[in-house]
Each structure stands twice: as structure tokens, then as C-alpha cells.
Coordinates of all heavy atoms in Angstrom, one line a residue:
R493 N 8.3 -8.8 3.3 CA 9.2 -9.6 2.5 C 8.4 -10.8 1.9 O 7.5 -11.4 2.6 CB 10.4 -10.2 3.4 CG 11.4 -9.3 3.8 CD 12.6 -10.0 4.4 NE 13.6 -9.2 5.0 CZ 13.6 -8.8 6.3 NH1 12.6 -9.3 7.1 NH2 14.5 -8.0 6.8
K494 N 8.7 -11.2 0.7 CA 8.1 -12.3 0.0 C 9.1 -13.2 -0.6 O 10.2 -12.8 -0.9 CB 7.1 -11.7 -1.0 CG 5.9 -11.0 -0.4 CD 5.0 -11.9 0.5 CE 3.8 -11.1 1.1 NZ 3.0 -12.0 1.9
I495 N 8.6 -14.4 -0.9 CA 9.4 -15.5 -1.6 C 10.9 -15.5 -1.1 O 11.8 -15.3 -1.8 CB 9.4 -15.4 -3.1 CG1 9.7 -14.0 -3.6 CG2 8.0 -15.8 -3.6 CD1 9.8 -14.0 -5.2
G496 N 11.0 -15.7 0.3 CA 12.3 -15.8 0.8 C 13.2 -14.6 0.8 O 14.4 -14.6 0.8
G497 N 12.5 -13.4 0.8 CA 13.3 -12.2 0.8 C 13.7 -11.7 -0.6 O 14.4 -10.7 -0.7
M498 N 13.3 -12.4 -1.7 CA 13.7 -12.0 -3.0 C 12.9 -10.8 -3.5 O 13.2 -10.2 -4.5 CB 13.6 -13.2 -4.0 CG 14.5 -14.3 -3.7 SD 14.3 -15.7 -4.8 CE 14.7 -15.0 -6.4
A499 N 11.7 -10.6 -2.9 CA 10.9 -9.5 -3.3 C 10.3 -8.8 -2.1 O 10.2 -9.4 -1.0 CB 9.7 -10.0 -4.2
I500 N 9.9 -7.6 -2.3 CA 9.2 -6.8 -1.3 C 7.8 -6.4 -1.8 O 7.7 -5.9 -2.9 CB 10.0 -5.6 -0.9 CG1 11.3 -6.0 -0.1 CG2 9.2 -4.6 -0.1 CD1 12.2 -4.8 0.3
L501 N 6.8 -6.6 -0.9 CA 5.5 -6.2 -1.3 C 5.1 -5.0 -0.4 O 5.2 -5.0 0.8 CB 4.5 -7.4 -1.0 CG 3.0 -7.1 -1.3 CD1 2.8 -6.9 -2.8 CD2 2.1 -8.2 -0.7
A502 N 4.7 -3.9 -1.1 CA 4.4 -2.7 -0.4 C 2.9 -2.3 -0.7 O 2.5 -2.2 -1.9 CB 5.3 -1.5 -0.9
E503 N 2.2 -2.2 0.4 CA 0.7 -1.8 0.2 C 0.5 -0.5 1.0 O 0.8 -0.4 2.2 CB -0.1 -2.9 0.8 CG -1.6 -2.6 0.6 CD -2.5 -3.8 1.2 OE1 -1.9 -4.7 1.9 OE2 -3.7 -3.7 1.0
G504 N 0.0 0.5 0.3 CA -0.3 1.8 0.8 C -1.8 2.2 0.8 O -2.4 1.9 -0.3
V505 N -2.3 2.7 1.8 CA -3.7 3.2 1.9 C -3.7 4.6 2.4 O -3.1 4.9 3.5 CB -4.6 2.3 2.7 CG1 -6.0 2.9 2.8 CG2 -4.6 0.9 2.2
G506 N -4.2 5.6 1.7 CA -4.3 6.9 2.1 C -5.7 7.4 2.4 O -6.6 7.0 1.6
T507 N -5.9 8.1 3.5 CA -7.3 8.5 3.9 C -7.3 10.0 3.9 O -6.5 10.7 4.5 CB -7.6 8.0 5.3 OG1 -7.5 6.6 5.3 CG2 -9.1 8.4 5.7
N508 N -8.3 10.6 3.1 CA -8.4 12.0 3.0 C -8.7 12.6 4.4 O -9.6 12.2 5.1 CB -9.5 12.4 2.1 CG -9.2 12.0 0.6 OD1 -8.0 11.9 0.2 ND2 -10.2 11.6 -0.1
K509 N -8.0 13.7 4.8 CA -8.3 14.4 6.0 C -9.6 15.2 5.9 O -10.3 15.4 6.9 CB -7.2 15.4 6.3 CG -5.9 14.7 6.8 CD -4.9 15.8 7.3 CE -3.7 15.2 7.9 NZ -2.7 16.2 8.4
S510 N -10.0 15.6 4.7 CA -11.2 16.4 4.5 C -12.5 15.7 4.8 O -13.4 16.2 5.5 CB -11.2 16.9 3.1 OG -11.3 15.9 2.1
D511 N -12.6 14.4 4.4 CA -13.9 13.7 4.5 C -13.7 12.3 5.2 O -14.7 11.6 5.3 CB -14.6 13.6 3.2 CG -13.7 12.9 2.1 OD1 -12.7 12.3 2.5 OD2 -14.1 13.0 0.9
G512 N -12.5 11.9 5.5 CA -12.3 10.6 6.1 C -12.4 9.4 5.2 O -12.4 8.2 5.6
K513 N -12.6 9.6 3.9 CA -12.7 8.6 2.9 C -11.3 8.1 2.4 O -10.4 8.9 2.4 CB -13.6 9.0 1.7 CG -15.0 9.3 2.1 CD -15.9 9.7 0.9 CE -17.3 10.0 1.3 NZ -18.1 10.4 0.1
V514 N -11.3 6.9 1.9 CA -10.0 6.4 1.3 C -9.7 7.2 0.0 O -10.6 7.2 -0.9 CB -10.1 4.9 1.0 CG1 -8.8 4.4 0.2 CG2 -10.2 4.1 2.3
G515 N -8.6 7.8 0.0 CA -8.2 8.7 -1.2 C -7.5 7.9 -2.2 O -7.6 8.2 -3.4
F516 N -6.6 6.9 -1.8 CA -5.9 6.1 -2.8 C -5.5 4.8 -2.1 O -5.4 4.7 -0.9 CB -4.6 6.9 -3.2 CG -3.5 7.0 -2.2 CD1 -2.6 6.0 -2.0 CD2 -3.5 8.2 -1.4 CE1 -1.6 6.1 -1.0 CE2 -2.5 8.3 -0.5 CZ -1.5 7.3 -0.3
E517 N -5.3 3.8 -3.0 CA -4.8 2.5 -2.6 C -3.8 2.1 -3.6 O -4.0 2.2 -4.8 CB -5.9 1.5 -2.5 CG -6.9 1.7 -1.4 CD -8.0 0.6 -1.3 OE1 -7.6 -0.5 -0.8 OE2 -9.1 0.8 -1.9
S518 N -2.6 1.7 -3.1 CA -1.6 1.3 -4.1 C -0.9 0.0 -3.6 O -0.9 -0.4 -2.4 CB -0.5 2.4 -4.2 OG 0.1 2.6 -2.9
L519 N -0.4 -0.8 -4.6 CA 0.3 -2.0 -4.3 C 1.5 -2.0 -5.2 O 1.4 -1.8 -6.4 CB -0.6 -3.2 -4.7 CG -0.1 -4.6 -4.2 CD1 -0.1 -4.7 -2.7 CD2 -1.0 -5.7 -4.8
G520 N 2.6 -2.3 -4.6 CA 3.9 -2.4 -5.4 C 4.7 -3.6 -5.1 O 4.7 -4.1 -3.9
V521 N 5.3 -4.2 -6.1 CA 6.2 -5.3 -5.9 C 7.6 -4.9 -6.4 O 7.8 -4.5 -7.5 CB 5.7 -6.6 -6.7 CG1 6.7 -7.7 -6.5 CG2 4.3 -7.0 -6.3
L522 N 8.5 -5.0 -5.5 CA 9.9 -4.6 -5.7 C 10.8 -5.7 -5.7 O 10.8 -6.6 -4.8 CB 10.3 -3.5 -4.7 CG 11.7 -3.0 -4.7 CD1 12.1 -2.3 -6.0 CD2 12.0 -2.1 -3.5

């Protein structure tokens, strides 16, 4: 939760099973 619950910050990190490297990083503000 951010700014008193007026927004939600979502951070996602995906790691590839094949090689263990970070496959994607995302940031969302709702």
C-alpha cells in the first residue's frame, strides 16, 4: 500500500527455470 492506501505498488520478478537468470522485472502502480 502507498500514500495512505490510495495506491498499490506491485513489483514482480521472474526467474527462468532453465538457467536461473532473471527473465523479467515489472513494476505497476494501481
Side-chain angles (χ1 to χ4, degrees):
R493 289 190 186 92
K494 294 295 181 180
I495 53 174
M498 294 178 62
I500 287 178
L501 180 68
E503 182 179 10
V505 178
T507 303
N508 296 328
K509 286 187 176 182
S510 59
D511 55 16
K513 296 181 179 180
V514 174
F516 71 86
E517 292 183 80
S518 64
L519 190 68
V521 180
L522 172 63

